[in-house]
Amino acid sequence: MSVTDDTSALLRDRAAAVLRDNDAGGWTKASPHLYPHQWSWDSAFIAIGWAHLDVRRALSELEQLLAAQWPSGMVPHIVFRGGPGVPYFPGPEWWNCSVTPAPGAAPLRTTGICQPPVHALALRRIWQLTPAGQQPEVRARLRALYPKLVNWHRYLATGRDPEGSGLVTTYHPWEGTDNSPRWDRALARIEVAGPGPYTRLDADQLGDPSQRPTDWDYDRYLWLVGELRDCGYDDAEIYRRSPFLIKDVFFSSVLVAANAALLDLADVAGADADDRADLLRWLERGRDGLTARFDPPSGLCTDFDVRAGEEIRLRTFASFAPLFARTPDAGQQDAQLRLLDSADFCGDPQLRWPLLLSTSPAEPVFEPRTYWRGPVWPIINWLLWQSLSELGYRDRSAGLCRDALDQITAKGDFAEYFEPMTGEPLGSPRQSWTAAVTLDWLGSLG
Ligand code: 2M8
């Protein structure tokens, strides 16, 4: 099936219905049952989707998330807005943290870690889609959000990069791509992970436990939460104590792209000279940091395990961090595109569509149905599509958009992720961010 004018109108209505059904009043559940609270990077993608329906509603999504920003500038990975009766594990009691959004306001319960900073990309898209008549109101709200996003980026560029390397250090697999094989060795070093008794809800809710991380993974995830909690979520203390400290090139590349997005909005936001200078410095340092992790012969960009002092050399979507960062260097772009087209990635003839997978089929750890260990994630392909468009690869980006929409249209109901060889929809159905990027892709078709 391919997306024609008729099917695209229908698809748009169906995608909009997913966001409306998951709308909880100013914020959107990441999915109806499996993820019933507000997730950070999900919210950013969701705001991009809302921007095609109602820019005011799109702004609320970011405003509600940023209301839970910590004094340090960190934006927590989950805001438990669904309330205490909504089943999700691990819930707020495991994290034991909250923020008070305004003097006298009720505290918001959150987690103590964060996710990739897609939010500035969302704010830029909201502004791009704002109808002329709504510009005064949207500009005022954008100006209120902008300094919060600068503080968020400042936290990542300082608290999460004490070395000044340009690369963000992540503290937990839940800071983006949970059971990616990129974390296997670091997790394996945690020999005794006794987090105490717990009952998972995810495997039952999904109905197919084999798609989800294993109990071995969960023991370590929860033990690490305990470690972070015991450190009082203090960055310096975490750096001293935690066995899990990773220079994550994917996370870092999103920060580079997000810094560029804030610079694009600087005039609209009335940003001061100091903030502009900081954003530019973080952007350039981020690009340099990624270049230092780039291996020209293979075209791979690799994460670095700070605690072990070793490179994490695996072929995954994160290998394309320079592309995600829109690196202008032509040599790096060529090497990355060669790798992307190779049989290790989109050139694998077994693939149903030539889309970027979470893990290369050429890796022994590849698992086509298991979460971040092989399946295709629409949001990752959306980030790649944005980069290819911005770098001027029009045919490539148009092809990616067409294939991604074909995948979403062919089977299922806005699946969280897809089996790469068969196109089978997997994970949660009616996942908000899948619907959101669908709306943005359809919008790009004009
Ligand atoms: C997944 O992560 C959550 C934990 O945060 C989970 O597995 O329960 C990941 O895909 C994460 O990146 C995403 O933000 C979240 C909600 O979609 O689900």
Side-chain angles (χ1 to χ4, degrees), residues 167-329:
L167 299 173
V168 177
T169 305
T170 52
Y171 298 159
H172 197 289
W174 279 331
E175 294 205 309
T177 57
D178 307 28
N179 72 339
S180 173
R182 297 155 69 204
W183 324 132
D184 286 0
R185 278 171 68 89
L187 288 178
R189 282 204 314 273
I190 303 171
E191 285 172 11
V192 184
Y198 64 91
T199 307
R200 291 176 62 174
L201 299 176
D202 58 322
D204 280 354
Q205 264 166 352
L206 199 61
D208 178 5
S210 70
Q211 287 180 39
R212 295 284 303 178
T214 62
D215 287 346
W216 181 93
D217 292 313
Y218 257 70
D219 283 352
R220 281 154 186 78
Y221 298 166
L222 293 167
W223 182 83
L224 276 174
V225 169
E227 285 291 292
L228 297 171
R229 201 178 50 219
D230 291 351
C231 291
Y233 302 103
D234 175 77
D235 294 293
E237 186 60 14
I238 292 167
Y239 245 79
R240 270 193 292 277
R241 266 180 62 169
S242 177
F244 189 97
L245 297 176
I246 310 281
K247 288 290 179 193
D248 177 333
V249 290
F250 170 68
F251 199 124
S252 307
S253 71
V254 176
L255 180 59
V256 171
N259 281 323
L262 285 190
L263 282 167
D264 286 349
L265 290 172
D267 289 344
V268 183
D272 66 29
D274 286 350
D275 282 351
R276 289 175 199 242
D278 284 344
L279 289 166
L280 189 60
R281 196 159 44 83
W282 302 331
L283 184 154
E284 287 171 350
R285 202 164 63 188
R287 284 207 174 125
D288 290 347
L290 291 172
T291 297
R293 303 275 349 126
F294 181 67
D295 174 46
S298 63
L300 288 171
C301 190
T302 56
D303 302 303
F304 187 77
D305 184 325
V306 176
R307 202 46 102 211
E310 68 182 24
E311 175 185 49
I312 304 173
R313 198 175 174 87
L314 276 175
R315 286 158 292 182
T316 71
F317 74 98
S319 309
F320 297 96
L323 275 187
F324 290 120
R326 296 97 159 106
T327 300
D329 181 295

Side-chain angles (χ1 to χ4, degrees), residues 30-31 34-35 39-42 77-78 88-90 115 174-178 202 212-213 218 371-372 377 379 416 431 433:
S31 73
L34 192 59
Y35 309 119
W39 261 260
S40 170
W41 71 325
D42 297 63
H77 112 280
I78 304 176
Y88 178 75
F89 180 83
Q115 288 184 318
W174 279 331
E175 294 205 309
T177 57
D178 307 28
D202 58 322
R212 295 284 303 178
Y218 257 70
Y371 214 35
W372 289 94
W377 287 72
I379 49 132
E416 188 181 1
Q431 179 84 9
W433 65 11

